[in-house]
Amino acid sequence: MKKALLPLFLVLILVISGCNVNTKSDVAGESEPAENTTTTDLKPVDIELLAMSSNESDVNIIRDQLIKNGFNVKLNLQPDYGSFKAQEDAGNYDISLSGWTTVTGNPDYAVRSLFKTGGDYSKLADPEVDKLIDQAATETPEEYTETYKKLEDYLVFDKAYIAPLYISLKSQGFNKDVLNPDTIRLSKSRSQVWESIEFNDASKNTIEPLLLTQAASTLTSLDPIKGNDGSINAINTNMYVRLVNLTDDDQITSEGSLSLNHGIAAGNSDYYFVLRDDINFAKITDKKAEDSGERVGAEDVIFSLNRAKDQNSVPDHRTYSLHEHIKDAEIVTDLSSLESIKQAGSGNPIIDVLNQGLDQGITQLVSDKTQADHKSGKYQVVKVTTTEPFPQVLNYLAHQSAGIVSKKQVESINTYDVANFDVNKDIPYGDQNTVTEGSSYNNTLYASGPYILSSKNDYEAVFYKNPGYMTGTENEPKISEIKVKFIKDADNALSALRSGEIHMYYGVPETKYDLVKQDSKLQLQTLESNGVSYLLFNTKGRDVAESEDLRKAILYSINQDEILSFYNNNKFKAVSTVSPIVKTGNELVSDPAKVKQYLAKYQESK
């Protein structure tokens, strides 16, 4: 079983109920169950619900729905995620209020770590679940819809391993009097795109900082493979370029990435990328960004992908399972091979897709990154081979954990023995202490992306434009300096946006939308996210672990229409964590009659 090391952006959907017009009583009623909708002829069943106190609105609705359907609900509310996780790890719950956001835009990410045997967050060990997940991973989008439907049928309706609640909106608010709305993107999966943003007065781009915010001031790691959480996702996405990107609607693209073009060979196991030659690593000197003079090239790609897939390449590697399908990464030097290898789907030579739109087509392949010169047709091409046919590998290559680091710089910093790493004396590349103001400050970052972090303290982090990033192209960063203010509380963050202390607030809570809309200087952007909230059943030591009937009774107690009504329809129905990405046609419909039936079967079996 794979050791659970990877917190793949597991999130609890934080909800604050201050501005809703619906109340708990309006939606689900108080604790008194209605005579004709409950199981009053059955003995109430005790259920312990674990959640964070910030999820109080959801907890109240779920509790009342369960009470109406014949349960005695004990609440186990924890003040923060650390306390919640400790209670979950200790097994002190029957159901926990959980959430998952698929930040890669592909359905495999939405299920593998959560439900596959040995997955980083999986509490299941079911061969049928494993088989369906692995089958879907080898299929194209045209093929996998039916497979994911079968997975949902089995996971939710046949076995009731989870009880889905809703899909959330993704949002951001910004000051339209200060920032140019046409330059601000909101992507379904990709983190905030910094390089495109401009001030309305373009002359300010080079003289005033862009003011952003995030809640977490403690940064997990600035090494992209060692963190996958809200503290560093946006930061590392903007500090390290990747082989490919995601469009705002989750399509794979080479635009704005390290590759000029990419192609898939017949068989869906070999992936080719022709690299651009106009990106240099940035470094920090005297807290200012400067061009290191080192080009980002194929040897850095090979190094970055090999360490990304290797669990033992660094201590506390948190993203290796994202890249476990990478078998090999190599530099292609045989031009004739690109002319003989056929593209998947079309049967044309792979070189055709790699040449598309190039000012000068590929006439020579070079292994030395300093020799690449697109003007004379000299390029570097990287080939990635997967362990099995796996088209979704491209989505993982677009994730921040696949960011390209400098082979030379990382190897010069990470001189410790991984097996004997001593946290008290060994300082790894990307350690946040090296960029924190004070006696430990020693910034050794090399950034391949549009921005580099200069320094941070408890209040803000300061970033500067990479002077060697796609200079003269539309992807060159527009604003020279960015400050990310650390504001933990959502109300305070919104107040900072309204007062002008920050220019943009990423992740405005649904309950605060109206406040943003009513402010004439602000603009709200929203779209359906890949974030799903659901109830997760305990799989050990509790009756819900053994009784499918008990789990199904809880499942059919959930009324999603009531939940959506409470949130003024700013949430959407869900069936599983795949729901935002693959439309299977499934729907969970609450059914008190089924609840009574399953509770009766459960009580008869005891």
Side-chain angles (χ1 to χ4, degrees):
M1 178 178 291
K2 184 170 57 184
K3 190 176 181 182
L5 290 176
L6 177 60
L8 292 178
F9 210 22
L10 183 64
V11 293
L12 291 157
I13 309 301
L14 304 178
V15 179
I16 304 171
S17 59
C19 295
N20 282 296
V21 295
N22 292 324
T23 67
K24 176 167 62 72
S25 300
D26 295 327
V27 179
E30 298 296 345
S31 300
E32 316 75 49
E35 213 30 66
N36 60 351
T37 62
T38 64
T39 54
T40 53
D41 53 332
L42 296 172
K43 180 181 177 181
V45 176
D46 293 333
I47 289 293
E48 183 175 6
L49 170 60
L50 171 66
M52 283 173 56
S53 55
S54 56
N55 285 28
E56 184 177 2
S57 296
D58 288 353
V59 168
N60 287 338
I61 298 171
I62 294 162
R63 179 198 62 191
D64 290 348
Q65 290 181 351
L66 290 173
I67 289 173
K68 285 176 61 178
N69 283 279
F71 294 91
N72 283 328
V73 182
K74 175 186 176 182
L75 298 183
N76 182 354
L77 295 182
Q78 296 299 314
D80 53 43
Y81 178 70
S83 302
F84 167 87
K85 193 66 172 64
Q87 287 291 302
E88 190 175 65
D89 290 344
N92 297 330
Y93 69 100
D94 291 302
I95 49 177
S96 66
L97 179 55
S98 302
W100 183 262
T101 299
T102 299
V103 296
T104 55
N106 64 308
D108 186 75
Y109 184 101
V111 294
R112 182 170 297 274
S113 288
L114 289 176
F115 307 124
K116 196 172 186 294
T117 302
D120 302 287
Y121 271 98
S122 178
K123 299 183 183 299
L124 302 181
D126 190 315
E128 180 65 16
V129 171
D130 296 348
K131 184 188 78 171
L132 291 169
I133 289 174
D134 286 337
Q135 177 184 335
T138 67
E139 297 172 338
T140 64
E142 293 74 24
E143 299 167 328
Y144 63 43
T145 298
E146 181 59 29
T147 306
Y148 283 116
K149 183 181 187 305
K150 290 178 181 178
L151 176 62
E152 276 191 347
D153 289 341
Y154 185 80
L155 184 75
V156 179
F157 300 107
D158 295 348
K159 291 295 183 180
Y161 287 137
I162 65 170
L165 300 176
Y166 55 75
I167 301 169
S168 293
L169 281 171
K170 189 174 185 179
S171 67
Q172 63 186 6
F174 62 90
N175 190 323
K176 63 185 179 182
D177 289 348
V178 176
L179 301 180
N180 181 351
D182 295 335
T183 67
I184 297 174
R185 296 170 54 181
L186 181 62
S187 306
K188 197 162 191 266
S189 293
R190 184 180 175 182
S191 291
Q192 203 169 32
V193 181
W194 291 354
E195 67 262 32
S196 67
I197 302 174
E198 290 190 77
F199 289 109
N200 280 324
D201 181 354
S203 67
K204 295 182 178 180
N205 289 344
T206 58
I207 58 175
E208 291 191 9
L210 170 65
L211 305 177
L212 307 177
T213 185
Q214 71 174 40
S217 59
T218 301
L219 310 180
T220 304
S221 177
L222 301 164
D223 182 340
I225 63 174
K226 292 190 65 177
N228 189 20
D229 58 79
S231 75
I232 48 77
N233 278 332
I235 290 173
N236 285 346
T237 295
N238 286 285
M239 280 222 303
Y240 299 100
V241 73
R242 297 158 300 284
L243 277 177
V244 287
N245 279 325
L246 291 175
T247 64
D248 292 345
D249 60 354
D250 283 350
Q251 301 304 304
I252 298 295
T253 180
S254 285
E255 184 176 347
S257 75
L258 182 58
S259 71
L260 292 163
N261 287 313
H262 68 275
I264 307 174
N268 294 335
S269 289
D270 293 328
Y271 302 80
Y272 292 84
F273 308 85
V274 56
L275 306 188
R276 59 192 311 141
D277 57 17
D278 60 352
I279 301 177
N280 282 4
F281 289 102
K283 67 177 183 178
I284 294 295
T285 302
D286 296 329
K287 291 192 175 181
K288 294 296 182 182
E290 66 177 37
D291 188 336
S292 70
E294 180 188 348
R295 180 182 292 177
V296 181
E299 67 181 72
D300 304 300
V301 173
I302 305 305
F303 173 75
S304 299
L305 297 187
N306 281 335
R307 71 194 297 267
K309 71 171 183 173
D310 180 7
Q311 178 182 354
N312 299 313
S313 63
V314 291
D316 198 21
H317 194 325
R318 301 192 182 191
T319 61
Y320 66 89
S321 70
L322 278 177
H323 306 291
E324 63 186 1
H325 284 91
I326 297 177
K327 179 181 179 181
D328 193 23
E330 59 185 297
I331 302 174
V332 180
T333 56
D334 181 5
L335 182 59
S336 64
S337 67
L338 302 181
E339 297 167 343
S340 60
I341 295 167
K342 304 301 182 185
Q343 295 178 44
S346 72
N348 297 325
I350 199 74
I351 196 170
D352 287 357
V353 68
L354 298 182
N355 270 329
Q356 285 180 5
L358 301 185
D359 294 336
Q360 172 63 52
I362 303 171
T363 59
Q364 185 178 345
L365 298 180
V366 296
S367 58
D368 183 347
K369 63 184 181 182
T370 66
Q371 299 301 309
D373 179 11
H374 67 278
K375 294 179 181 178
S376 58
K378 297 179 181 180
Y379 293 91
Q380 288 196 299
V381 170
V382 169
K383 173 186 176 184
V384 175
T385 301
T386 54
T387 55
E388 58 189 339
F390 188 56
Q392 294 184 56
V393 72
L394 291 171
N395 293 78
Y396 292 125
L397 293 177
H399 186 252
Q400 61 88 12
S401 62
I404 308 305
V405 297
S406 165
K407 179 178 186 294
K408 178 181 176 181
Q409 181 69 359
V410 172
E411 286 184 333
S412 73
I413 301 298
N414 289 357
T415 57
Y416 53 80
D417 177 17
V418 174
N420 297 306
F421 179 79
D422 186 345
V423 67
N424 294 312
K425 69 180 183 66
D426 294 325
I427 302 175
Y429 175 83
D431 187 327
Q432 73 144 359
N433 292 317
T434 64
V435 299
T436 302
E437 293 176 347
S439 60
S440 62
Y441 180 87
N442 180 29
N443 193 325
T444 57
L445 295 175
Y446 262 47
S448 61
Y451 287 92
I452 184 169
L453 174 57
S454 171
S455 63
K456 67 171 287 290
N457 53 36
D458 290 340
Y459 307 103
E460 67 181 17
V462 179
F463 297 80
Y464 292 108
K465 169 182 175 178
N466 177 352
Y469 188 83
M470 302 194 199
T471 306
T473 73
E474 63 180 9
N475 297 304
E476 179 182 355
K478 307 303 186 294
I479 293 178
S480 297
E481 180 182 357
I482 293 177
K483 290 184 178 180
V484 176
K485 307 280 187 177
F486 300 131
I487 306 176
K488 184 176 181 179
D489 182 75
D491 286 336
N492 289 340
L494 182 57
S495 294
L497 176 66
R498 300 182 71 185
S499 68
E501 182 184 344
I502 58 174
H503 300 140
M504 183 181 299
Y505 178 15
Y506 190 68
V508 179
E510 291 98 329
T511 52
K512 305 298 181 183
Y513 287 175
D514 286 344
L515 289 177
V516 176
K517 292 177 181 177
Q518 292 164 9
D519 193 318
S520 61
K521 67 178 176 296
L522 302 182
Q523 182 170 325
L524 180 71
Q525 291 178 327
T526 62
L527 52 73
E528 182 180 320
S529 77
N530 289 337
V532 177
S533 185
Y534 59 95
L535 298 177
L536 179 67
F537 291 97
N538 198 336
T539 57
K540 292 181 181 179
R542 297 287 180 112
D543 283 358
V544 292
E546 305 299 330
S547 175
E548 189 177 296
D549 292 319
L550 180 55
R551 296 197 302 269
K552 287 182 177 178
I554 294 171
L555 173 71
Y556 287 106
S557 296
I558 300 303
N559 187 321
Q560 293 187 8
D561 288 322
E562 291 179 347
I563 298 174
L564 268 56
S565 176
F566 178 85
Y567 288 107
N568 299 320
N569 294 312
N570 284 322
K571 296 186 184 294
F572 308 93
K573 290 188 176 183
V575 175
S576 74
T577 46
V578 165
S579 294
I581 304 162
V582 181
K583 305 304 179 185
T584 64
N586 286 333
E587 183 179 356
L588 173 64
V589 179
S590 63
D591 192 330
K594 284 185 178 180
V595 175
K596 185 174 183 179
Q597 171 192 341
Y598 287 122
L599 276 181
K601 290 175 65 178
Y602 161 69
Q603 294 190 345
E604 288 170 4
S605 68
K606 288 185 67 65

